[in-house]
């Protein structure tokens, strides 16, 4: 059975939604990142980069949420979009993976977790997150889905970050991007979304905040400490 290495954060939630949409059975393997479990030798053997999510599909190991979504779509033949839309699918997946996601994550970090108040970094990452959301907003005008005429892993990938819209963007969150807000409302109404959000609910994960958790989550901050 497929093993799913999970923590309730945006990138693992993407995989949780794919599994919920396809009813693909899995064995959940919780990874408590605030306790540093992503740095253990056992997990580093799964993902040398020490990040979640990752999967082990009967010996085939895949890490990085975008790689996992592509792998599972190919494996199941589901949610991979129409063949004629493959170029667009790859483009939007990588737009999320290299742009919207990282800039959103860095905006959250510098506004909520950085040990110093750095106005330049806060401004830089917030405005880049906003710019990426504006690109997506413009693209979604007149569209129900990000790629082609059907729901796909591109929508799943963007949803994983959109659920953190208020924390990333502050204030009214996605409401500044009405096309994204419309799209998100439609995706969020899918029955599989509630199912995905229940994955791992029985597990207890440490709430970050103390020095030990910050060292586990942001080890580069402490290299010379």
């Amino acid at each position: 059975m497929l093993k799913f290495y999970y923590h309730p954060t945006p990138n693992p939630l993407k995989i949780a939604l794919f599994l919920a949409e396809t009813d693909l059975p899995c064995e959940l393997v919780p990874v408590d990142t605030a306790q540093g479990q992503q740095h253990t030798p056992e997990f580093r053997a799964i993902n040398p980069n020490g990040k979640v999510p990752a999967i082990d599909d009967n010996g085939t190991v895949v890490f990085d949420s975008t790689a996992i979504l592509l792998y599972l779509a190919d494996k199941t033949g589901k949610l991979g979009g129409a063949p004629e839309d493959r170029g667009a699918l790859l483009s939007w997946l990588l737009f999320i993976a290299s742009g919207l996601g990282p800039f959103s994550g860095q905006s959250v970090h510098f506004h909520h977790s950085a040990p110093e108040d750095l106005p330049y970094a806060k401004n830089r990452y917030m405005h880049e997150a906003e710019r990426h959301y504006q690109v997506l907003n413009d693209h979604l005008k007149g569209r129900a889905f990000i790629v082609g005429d059907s729901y796909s892993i591109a929508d799943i990938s963007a949803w994983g970050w959109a659920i953190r819209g208020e924390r990333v963007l502050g204030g009214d969150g996605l409401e500044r991007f009405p096309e994204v807000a419309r799209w998100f409302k439609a995706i969020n109404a899918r029955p599989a979304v509630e199912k995905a959000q229940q994955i791992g609910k029985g597990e207890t994960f440490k709430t970050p905040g103390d020095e030990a958790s910050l060292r586990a989550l942001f080890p580069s901050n402490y290299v010379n400490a």
Side-chain angles (χ1 to χ4, degrees), residues 54-130:
I55 62 169
D56 182 345
D57 185 19
N58 296 310
T60 298
V61 173
V62 189
F63 59 86
D64 185 273
S65 62
T66 302
I68 296 169
L69 288 173
L70 284 165
Y71 173 84
L72 292 177
D74 289 345
K75 172 187 170 73
T76 62
K78 297 178 180 179
L79 302 176
E84 61 269 24
D85 294 325
R86 185 69 171 182
L89 180 78
L90 294 173
S91 296
W92 284 102
L93 282 173
L94 270 294
F95 167 83
I96 297 161
S98 65
L100 189 146
F103 282 106
S104 294
Q106 292 297 335
S107 180
V108 169
H109 177 77
F110 284 106
H111 280 87
H112 301 288
S113 301
E116 303 172 52
D117 183 18
L118 299 172
Y120 174 82
K122 291 164 72 173
N123 182 68
R124 158 78 173 160
Y125 287 111
M126 174 62 81
H127 285 303
E128 277 297 291
E130 291 171 336

Side-chain angles (χ1 to χ4, degrees), residues 14-222:
K14 302 174 186 181
I15 310 309
L17 182 53
F18 184 97
L19 297 173
E21 290 281 7
T22 57
D23 290 320
L24 192 63
C26 73
E27 174 190 344
L28 190 70
V29 183
V31 180
D32 194 332
T33 56
Q35 293 198 51
Q37 292 176 356
Q38 71 276 31
H39 303 308
T40 64
E42 292 79 12
F43 185 73
R44 287 299 181 97
I46 298 295
N47 183 357
N49 194 36
K51 304 284 185 181
V52 286
I55 62 169
D56 182 345
D57 185 19
N58 296 310
T60 298
V61 173
V62 189
F63 59 86
D64 185 273
S65 62
T66 302
I68 296 169
L69 288 173
L70 284 165
Y71 173 84
L72 292 177
D74 289 345
K75 172 187 170 73
T76 62
K78 297 178 180 179
L79 302 176
E84 61 269 24
D85 294 325
R86 185 69 171 182
L89 180 78
L90 294 173
S91 296
W92 284 102
L93 282 173
L94 270 294
F95 167 83
I96 297 161
S98 65
L100 189 146
F103 282 106
S104 294
Q106 292 297 335
S107 180
V108 169
H109 177 77
F110 284 106
H111 280 87
H112 301 288
S113 301
E116 303 172 52
D117 183 18
L118 299 172
Y120 174 82
K122 291 164 72 173
N123 182 68
R124 158 78 173 160
Y125 287 111
M126 174 62 81
H127 285 303
E128 277 297 291
E130 291 171 336
R131 185 182 69 79
H132 281 83
Y133 269 102
Q134 188 62 56
V135 170
L136 183 59
N137 190 78
D138 293 344
H139 173 71
L140 282 168
K141 290 177 181 177
R143 296 174 176 269
F145 305 106
I146 294 176
V147 174
D149 298 322
S150 62
Y151 176 67
S152 74
I153 55 175
D155 299 291
I156 290 174
S157 185
W159 170 86
W161 277 105
I163 56 176
R164 297 290 193 268
E166 188 172 317
R167 186 161 176 81
V168 171
L169 300 166
D172 52 4
L174 297 179
E175 295 307 312
R176 282 181 282 154
F177 305 97
E179 301 295 337
V180 176
R182 169 190 57 79
W183 161 88
F184 177 66
K185 183 178 181 180
I187 301 302
N188 230 27
R190 297 179 67 87
V193 167
E194 183 176 356
K195 185 177 176 181
Q197 292 177 320
Q198 294 302 312
I199 289 180
K201 282 293 185 182
E203 303 294 334
T204 300
F205 295 94
K206 181 177 179 178
T207 300
D210 62 9
E211 183 177 340
S213 66
L214 294 176
R215 285 180 176 272
L217 292 167
F218 313 117
S220 60
N221 288 355
Y222 298 90

